[in-house]
């Protein structure tokens, strides 16, 4: 976001009970090593385009793309009912989205044909972490450039949960704070 000269970023506003979701592509490093930069960018954009639709269909807001990852928030800037449930439902949808993308690439040749000459699997996976808590949400940056952001330990915990999936061999990590706010049907998934 470009800001006109002399404009000062406004202070953030306090948000209670937002859900922060970090997601990333499993096997991205292998992908980046084996595809040329244009092919890699095309795969990233296909994933991000699909993920953004998933987030928006669950009333969330994508805040930023982080290399092969993405940060989304549910409950900020707009409060939504059942934001923990919406965040987890979104992650469930995103898992299915990655399966669908892999099926499409298998049929069309897409990314998989470029990687098929390599012995290891060319199937891309997905990891996500979600945590419910309090954040400061608002403008972040300088007098000349800023963006909407969420800041606080809640964001850090969500990022750590996403990374925890690597060592646990899991796909989605949900914090206890989020789990305790979920409807019973989502606790059985």
């Amino acid at each position: 976001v470009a800001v006109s000269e002399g404009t000062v970023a406004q202070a953030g506003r306090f948000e209670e009970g937002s859900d922060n979701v970090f997601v990333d592509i499993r096997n991205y490093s292998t992908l980046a090593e084996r595809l040329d930069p244009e092919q890699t960018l095309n795969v990233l954009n296909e994933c991000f385009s699909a993920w953004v639709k998933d987030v928006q269909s669950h009333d969330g807001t994508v805040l930023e793309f982080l290399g092969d990852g993405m940060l989304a928030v549910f409950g900020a800037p707009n409060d939504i009912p059942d934001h923990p449930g919406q965040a987890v439902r979104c992650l469930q949808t995103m898992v299915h989205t990655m399966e669908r993308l892999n099926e499409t690439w298998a049929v069309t040749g897409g990314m998989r044909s470029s990687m098929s000459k390599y012995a290891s699997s060319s199937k891309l996976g997905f990891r996500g972490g979600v945590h419910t808590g309090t954040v400061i949400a608002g403008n972040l940056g300088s007098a000349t450039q800023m963006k909407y952001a969420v800041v606080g330990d809640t964001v850090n915990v969500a990022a750590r949960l996403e990374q925890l999936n690597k060592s646990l061999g899991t796909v989605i990590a949900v914090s206890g704070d989020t789990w305790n706010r979920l409807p019973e049907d989502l606790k059985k998934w």
Side-chain angles (χ1 to χ4, degrees):
V1 173
V3 180
S4 61
E5 190 172 337
T7 303
V8 178
Q10 300 297 310
R13 70 179 190 151
F14 194 72
E15 293 285 343
E16 252 188 81
S18 71
D19 283 85
N20 296 276
V21 173
F22 272 91
V23 295
D24 83 342
I25 299 172
R26 185 176 42 84
N27 296 337
Y28 173 77
S29 295
T30 302
L31 169 83
E33 291 169 1
R34 296 179 179 172
L35 298 181
D36 68 44
E38 185 175 351
Q39 291 171 316
T40 302
L41 184 63
N42 289 338
V43 170
L44 287 172
N45 284 335
E46 280 188 69
C47 290
F48 290 149
S49 293
W51 291 355
V52 168
K53 287 179 186 175
D54 293 342
V55 169
Q56 291 173 344
S57 72
H58 290 87
D59 299 322
T61 302
V62 174
L63 295 184
E64 62 185 309
F65 302 105
L66 308 154
D68 67 320
M70 186 175 79
L71 169 61
V73 64
F74 296 79
N78 302 314
D79 189 28
I80 58 172
D82 185 31
H83 47 81
Q86 288 293 81
V88 170
R89 284 182 196 94
C90 178
L91 285 169
Q92 290 174 331
T93 300
M94 293 170 93
V95 169
H96 297 299
T97 293
M98 286 305 295
E99 291 168 358
R100 181 181 47 79
L101 285 171
N102 277 296
E103 289 170 11
T104 299
W105 291 325
V107 170
T108 63
M111 176 268 307
R112 292 175 61 102
S113 67
S114 300
M115 292 181 64
S116 62
K117 60 186 171 203
Y118 299 95
S120 65
S121 171
S122 59
K123 185 175 181 181
L124 291 181
F126 165 89
R127 285 189 296 259
V130 59
H131 180 58
T132 305
T134 303
V135 297
I136 297 294
N139 294 325
L140 173 70
S142 72
T144 58
Q145 185 173 343
M146 68 178 77
K147 68 177 185 170
Y148 181 80
V150 289
V151 179
D153 190 53
T154 298
V155 181
N156 298 334
V157 171
R160 288 185 206 114
L161 287 167
E162 181 274 314
Q163 290 295 308
L164 184 62
N165 287 304
K166 287 181 185 178
S167 59
L168 295 178
T170 54
V171 177
I172 297 174
V174 177
S175 75
D177 290 332
T178 302
W179 181 263
N180 291 333
R181 291 172 174 83
L182 292 177
E184 289 303 314
D185 65 309
L186 284 177
K187 292 180 177 181
K188 297 175 185 171
W189 178 68

